[in-house]
Amino acid sequence: MSLPSLSSSHLWASGAAILGLTTWYISRHTATTKAKRRGAVLAPGPRRVPFLGNVFNFPRGRWYETFTQWAGDYGDIIYIDLAGVPMIILNSLEAIHELTDKRMSIHSGRPHTTFVCDMIDCAYFTSMIQPSRDFTDQRRIFQRAIGPHTVSQYDSFIQHSCSQLLQQLDGFSGEPFNVLTKTVGNVLTRIAYGEHFFQHHGAEALQKTGEGIELFTWAFTKFWFVDVIPALRHIPAWFPGAKFKRIASQGKDYADYIRYWPFNQVKATMAEGITDESIVFKYLQEGGISEDNLRDAVATMYGAGVDTTSSTISNFLFSVALYPEWQKQIHKEMDQVLGRGNQATLDDIPKLELFQAVFKESFRWNTAAPLGFVLRDPRLWGKDSLDFNPNRFLASHNPSVDKLPDIWSVPFGFGRRICPGRYLAQRTALLYSAAILSMYEVLPFEGDILSPEGPFEDSVIRRLSNFQCKFKPRA
Ligand code: HEM
């Protein structure tokens, strides 16, 4: 018996039907259509194309410039749909406080994507987890371990790592970002898992965690078709066009490694009776908190803390290399307050008023987390908000300095999701930056002309790409 053969017109008709059904399915399941079906009134925003939303008109770099232009066109609350991932851009501090502080119970969720959250399985990170008991528990762990009342217990780790950083920078010329990420990564690993873990497994753990975070960050910023049709996750990995399955499986290996391996090593060490100083050690020993949430909160620290803190310091070095007259003034202040040749310590920072003003301005001007327009809003910072002007943070030049938004809060986000690592980040970034300038002159390469636009890269974080400089000892 022979099978009835399909004519080409039948094939075309079936193809068209499948395409039509897929198109219908996608159009019913985008974030925008689902929100509209539930009766939501969406904020205005730039024109969206079917299925892909704002993929084509979303800025690839220098976000704040486009957001500023959109603020003029659409107002302070803007709706964006990036191929199914909904996003709200808030362009004024009032709108931000209204939504994230006053209505925090409905505005503290995180976008859930099939590729990153389900397939790579990254949803356990504190930064990705949805509001829930586990989320609250993880936030409490951060508050207890590195909150304002406990963070100073890690000062010796930070000071020690700072001295090592200064040694590495002696005679160094090149891109400081990589040296900084290594130092910040070392210090966060020691704080999280302890010296014993760091000495025995630090190099391997840092290497694998760094690779994993790089893959997640890349995956997070790409468009994945499976996020629009989640059922695609079930096609086999050998299927043509299923490369995403292999990437997801590699990502999942990293996500599992970061989540379980270092934590289990510390537990094994404790079982052998070895004592150490670390967050995991301390809270496992004290008990009374969920072991799973302790594990997941601590696993988030490297990914959330390394690139952000290193970028903050590298952006500061860029600012003082770009504006040598400010650098000279900081050096003068340090010579007077510390005495030339003495390395700045955490206790010295409150005495270095001018250094603090330059650091704050650099943090405002090029903050590591791309927060849109708010850090350059002339309504908050004055008419020269786009310029680099540390005088705005000096009471001697700005009588309204007290009216400025809190620079130790705004760049760290808002409401229930405000960065729980901000106290540690502030101490680390201030100390490293002050200590570097107390010992070195930061110079651009001969012939290199730096420009305020800098070679910035905007992704999940805003960072300098390929900023090179020299560190000339001052003593
Ligand atoms: C200068 C360095 C840093 C900057 C600029 C920064 C900035 C931010 C921002 C803007 C957010 C998002 C807040 C929001 O969604 O509203 C965030 C979240 C977070 N940060 Fe940081 N951060 C820094 C360093 C750190 C460090 C050192 C750690 C940990 C040791 C850390 C841990 C976290 C965590 C766990 C979250 C997720 C919080 C949540 O979703 O509830 N950050 N950070």
Side-chain angles (χ1 to χ4, degrees), residues 110 126-127 135 139 142 304-305 308 312 369 411-414 417 419-421 425:
R110 283 285 178 262
T126 314
S127 43
F135 168 70
R139 296 279 321 192
F142 276 113
T308 43
T312 302
F412 291 105
F414 305 90
R417 311 283 321 206
C419 173

Side-chain angles (χ1 to χ4, degrees), residues 79-148:
Y79 181 79
I80 295 285
D81 175 347
L82 288 179
V85 180
M87 233 168 106
I88 301 279
I89 299 169
L90 300 174
N91 268 327
S92 78
L93 213 49
E94 285 92 36
I96 291 172
H97 285 314
E98 186 59 40
L99 268 74
T100 61
D101 290 334
K102 294 193 192 152
R103 301 192 214 171
M104 61 164 75
S105 55
I106 48 172
H107 289 115
S108 46
R110 283 285 178 262
H112 185 97
T113 58
T114 305
F115 189 69
V116 173
C117 298
D118 298 335
M119 295 181 71
I120 293 188
D121 206 6
C122 275
Y124 69 84
F125 284 132
T126 314
S127 43
M128 307 284 283
I129 196 171
Q130 301 298 347
S132 57
R133 242 189 117 131
D134 289 340
F135 168 70
T136 312
D137 222 22
Q138 290 189 24
R139 296 279 321 192
R140 270 203 205 115
I141 291 164
F142 276 113
Q143 180 70 10
R144 270 174 77 177
I146 52 172

Side-chain angles (χ1 to χ4, degrees), residues 52-324:
L52 295 179
N54 297 100
V55 163
F56 299 116
N57 50 13
F58 195 78
R60 292 187 187 281
R62 303 170 68 87
W63 313 35
Y64 62 89
E65 285 178 7
T66 311
F67 294 172
T68 309
Q69 192 204 320
W70 284 350
D73 297 344
Y74 308 106
D76 284 340
I77 305 181
I78 298 168
Y79 181 79
I80 295 285
D81 175 347
L82 288 179
V85 180
M87 233 168 106
I88 301 279
I89 299 169
L90 300 174
N91 268 327
S92 78
L93 213 49
E94 285 92 36
I96 291 172
H97 285 314
E98 186 59 40
L99 268 74
T100 61
D101 290 334
K102 294 193 192 152
R103 301 192 214 171
M104 61 164 75
S105 55
I106 48 172
H107 289 115
S108 46
R110 283 285 178 262
H112 185 97
T113 58
T114 305
F115 189 69
V116 173
C117 298
D118 298 335
M119 295 181 71
I120 293 188
D121 206 6
C122 275
Y124 69 84
F125 284 132
T126 314
S127 43
M128 307 284 283
I129 196 171
Q130 301 298 347
S132 57
R133 242 189 117 131
D134 289 340
F135 168 70
T136 312
D137 222 22
Q138 290 189 24
R139 296 279 321 192
R140 270 203 205 115
I141 291 164
F142 276 113
Q143 180 70 10
R144 270 174 77 177
I146 52 172
H149 305 299
T150 43
V151 68
S152 60
Q153 67 188 296
Y154 307 107
D155 284 355
S156 59
F157 286 100
I158 308 175
Q159 301 261 24
H160 179 69
S161 65
C162 181
S163 304
Q164 288 178 331
L165 170 71
L166 293 179
Q167 276 169 21
Q168 284 182 59
L169 292 180
D170 193 0
F172 176 87
S173 66
E175 205 174 347
F177 186 76
N178 298 334
V179 184
L180 291 166
T181 47
K182 200 161 170 230
T183 312
V184 178
N186 288 355
V187 84
L188 287 183
T189 306
R190 282 188 161 106
I191 289 176
Y193 300 109
E195 188 63 31
H196 186 270
F197 173 84
F198 182 78
Q199 290 303 335
H200 290 81
H201 310 290
E204 181 205 320
L206 282 161
Q207 166 85 17
K208 280 195 91 164
T209 307
E211 285 168 13
I213 300 296
E214 204 175 312
L215 192 149
F216 308 150
T217 311
W218 171 80
F220 199 72
T221 55
K222 291 276 170 284
F223 167 70
W224 300 98
F225 209 57
V226 67
D227 289 338
V228 187
I229 310 183
L232 285 178
R233 64 180 291 195
H234 300 298
I235 63 171
W238 50 261
F239 203 74
K243 192 172 167 204
F244 72 97
K245 291 267 301 193
R246 297 188 287 277
I247 298 174
S249 145
Q250 195 191 2
K252 180 153 170 50
D253 287 348
Y254 280 122
D256 286 349
Y257 175 91
I258 295 170
R259 188 179 199 183
Y260 299 110
W261 198 78
F263 188 80
N264 288 341
Q265 292 302 318
V266 178
K267 277 181 75 177
T269 310
M270 284 175 78
E272 284 171 35
I274 298 169
T275 55
D276 204 353
E277 226 181 293
S278 73
I279 295 178
V280 172
F281 188 87
K282 182 169 191 281
Y283 293 103
L284 275 179
Q285 210 177 38
E286 275 182 25
I289 51 177
S290 141
E291 211 175 290
D292 289 353
N293 285 327
L294 173 65
R295 179 197 64 212
D296 292 352
V298 169
T300 310
M301 282 177 61
Y302 183 100
V306 171
D307 277 10
T308 43
T309 310
S310 310
S311 277
T312 302
I313 304 163
S314 148
N315 291 353
F316 170 78
L317 299 176
F318 170 75
S319 301
V320 293
L322 176 66
Y323 296 111

Side-chain angles (χ1 to χ4, degrees), residues 355-369:
F355 157 76
Q356 282 197 65
V358 178
F359 183 91
K360 287 176 185 172
E361 179 64 347
S362 167
F363 197 33
R364 179 196 74 84
W365 199 50
N366 281 311
T367 196

Side-chain angles (χ1 to χ4, degrees), residues 342-387:
N342 289 323
Q343 183 183 325
T345 64
L346 275 166
D347 292 340
D348 296 323
I349 288 168
K351 299 177 234 158
L352 299 169
E353 213 187 323
L354 191 106
F355 157 76
Q356 282 197 65
V358 178
F359 183 91
K360 287 176 185 172
E361 179 64 347
S362 167
F363 197 33
R364 179 196 74 84
W365 199 50
N366 281 311
T367 196
L371 286 174
F373 178 53
V374 72
L375 285 161
R376 293 189 171 207
D377 185 346
R379 293 170 293 187
L380 301 172
W381 305 99
K383 279 199 289 271
D384 63 350
S385 63
L386 295 183
D387 303 335

Side-chain angles (χ1 to χ4, degrees), residues 18-34:
I18 291 170
L19 191 69
L21 273 172
T22 313
T23 311
W24 174 83
Y25 176 86
I26 298 173
S27 67
R28 300 271 305 156
H29 288 81
T30 64
T32 310
T33 46
K34 278 200 250 174

